[in-house]
Amino acid sequence: MRIVVMGAGSVGGYITSILALEGHDVLVIEQDQEVLEYILSENDVMGVLGDGTNPGLLREAEIEEADFFIALAADDEVNIVAANMAKVLGASHTIARVRSPKYEKNMEFMQMFMGVDHFLNPEQLAAHEVELTLGYSEASSVESFFSGRVHMIQFVIRESSDFAHKTLTEITSEGRLKNGLITIVDRDGEAHIPNGDFKILPNDNIHVVGTPYDLHRIYREEFKNEYKINSVLIIGASRISYYLASSIIEKGLTVKVIELDKKKAVAFHNLLPDAIVIHGDGSNPILLEEENIESYDSIVALTGIDERNILIALLAEKAEIGKVITRVDHKDLLRITGVLDIDVTITPIKEAANHILRIIRSKVHAKSFAISSLYLLEDNQIEAIEFEVLKTSKIIGIPIKDLKIKDKTLIAFIFRKRSGTVIPVDGNTIIENQDKVIVVTKQNGFTDIDDILEEE
C-alpha cells in the first residue's frame, strides 16, 4: 500500500519503521530537515521536506495515489487540517492524531464534517492500558479483546508457583488454567508460543488469555496475597493522567495528582475537580514522604521525561508500593540503566502503532474492517490479533484440528456473534461466519484470518 506519513517525531518515526518493514511504499513529510534526513537514513522510505498543510506540497507528494494519509504532527489542529486537505485531494483514507481532551466527546461530529476517517489518541489508548492493568494487581500488562469480554494478562512465574516445572499438558489436566490458555512464554528475552510439551520454569514471563472471571480465579490461586487497588497516586498532570484519572474516579478509586508546573496543576484541577491535585516535584523523596506515598495501592509515573519516571518508579519500589506503573517512551533506557524490574511500563508510541497497524491491515484485503484489535508483544516478536471471520473465509465449518495452520501460530479464543458467547478453543471447535477469533503468532503481517493457513 502507498502510505504518506506527515510528521516524523517519535510516533511518526516509529510507525514509519514498522510500515517500511512490512513492505509498504511509505513517503514521509517533515518540516525539520535533520529529522527527515535521519528517518531516510534509517528506513527504506521516500521523503518530502515541507509543510503538510500546503496543498501544493500534498500534490507534489501525489496524495491522490495514497491509500492512507497519517497526520502525526505535534499540533492537533495542524493534523485535522492536513488530513482534511489530503482527503479532499484524493487520499483514500485519513488518520489524524488528536490528543486534546476538548475533542474527546466530539469525534463523531468531527469525522462527519472534517473529512477525517480515523482519529488517533495515543494518550487515551495508553490510559486505557493503565486502567486495565490496575484491575490485576500482579500483572505487568493487560490486552483486551472482544470489547473486554476476554483479556490477556502477563505475569512472572515464581519458584513457588503451581505452574512451575510443569508442562502445559500437566497444568491443563490439573485444571489450574480454568478455561484460560497460556499463549506466550518469554524466557530470557526469547518469545515462545508453547505447545503441550512445553515446560514452564521459574522466572518465565507468561501471557494467559481468558475471561476476566477465569483470570481472577487463576490469580487468586497463583497469588494468594492478591489485593484490590483502591487508591492511585499519579505523578505528572499529563494528558494520559487526565484520561486515566477521569475514568478511574468514575469507578470509585481515590486519585491524587502531583504536578511540578503550577499552571498545569491548576489547569488539571479545573478540568477534573474530583481529583486532589498537589503542586510539587513528584520525584522528590521528601515530598513523597509528606504525601504518605506508602498509603497508596499504586503509583503511576506519567511525566513527560523518561528519566524522571524511572526515578519515581525506583522510589515507589523502595517504599514497597504494590503496583508501580511507569511511562517509558524509550525502553532502551531501561537496559542502559539496568532498571529492568519495574512492575509495568507503558509506551504511548507503541499503543499508537498498534492502532494504526490495525486500521491499515484491515484495509489491505477487505472492504470492511476484518481486524478489531492488534497488539505487538515481546519487543514485536509476537502479534496478537482479533479477526472477524468473513463469509468468504476458508476456515469456516472445519474443525480446528483439521486446519493446516502455520507454524508458531495458534487460535486462542472465539466470540460467537450468533449467540453472544465466548468460546475456549479445542481441536474439535468449528469456526462460523461472523465469529471473532483471537490469533497469536510469531509470523507477521497477517491481514486476514485465512493468513493463518499454510499456502496450498
Side-chain angles (χ1 to χ4, degrees), residues 11 47 49 51 78 128 156 179 185 200 220 232 260 269 271 341 343 345 349 354-355 359 362 370-371 430 434 442:
V11 176
L49 182 66
D51 181 358
V78 167
H128 181 62
V156 176
N179 289 317
V185 178
I200 302 297
R220 282 194 294 271
V232 180
L260 182 60
H269 178 68
L271 272 174
D341 58 350
D343 291 349
T345 58
I349 295 170
N354 289 343
H355 190 77
I359 294 170
S362 287
I371 298 177
I430 293 175
Q434 295 188 317
K442 288 197 78 170

Side-chain angles (χ1 to χ4, degrees), residues 386-433:
E386 177 186 329
F387 286 107
E388 180 175 351
V389 179
L390 306 178
K391 62 182 179 181
T392 55
S393 174
K394 299 175 184 177
I395 69 173
I396 293 174
I398 302 173
I400 287 176
K401 65 183 180 183
D402 295 331
L403 293 173
K404 295 181 179 179
I405 296 176
K406 288 178 179 175
D407 186 34
K408 299 176 182 178
T409 300
L410 64 83
I411 297 175
F413 260 81
I414 293 172
F415 173 68
R416 182 135 294 160
K417 185 176 180 181
R418 176 172 54 83
S419 60
T421 55
V422 172
I423 303 172
V425 170
D426 62 33
N428 296 314
T429 304
I430 293 175
I431 295 172
E432 298 181 358
N433 179 34

Side-chain angles (χ1 to χ4, degrees), residues 14-33:
Y14 185 70
I15 192 62
T16 293
S17 64
I18 291 178
L19 293 173
L21 286 172
E22 292 200 354
H24 295 287
D25 177 12
V26 182
L27 183 143
V28 178
I29 298 174
E30 170 57 48
Q31 295 192 77
D32 188 310
Q33 185 168 348

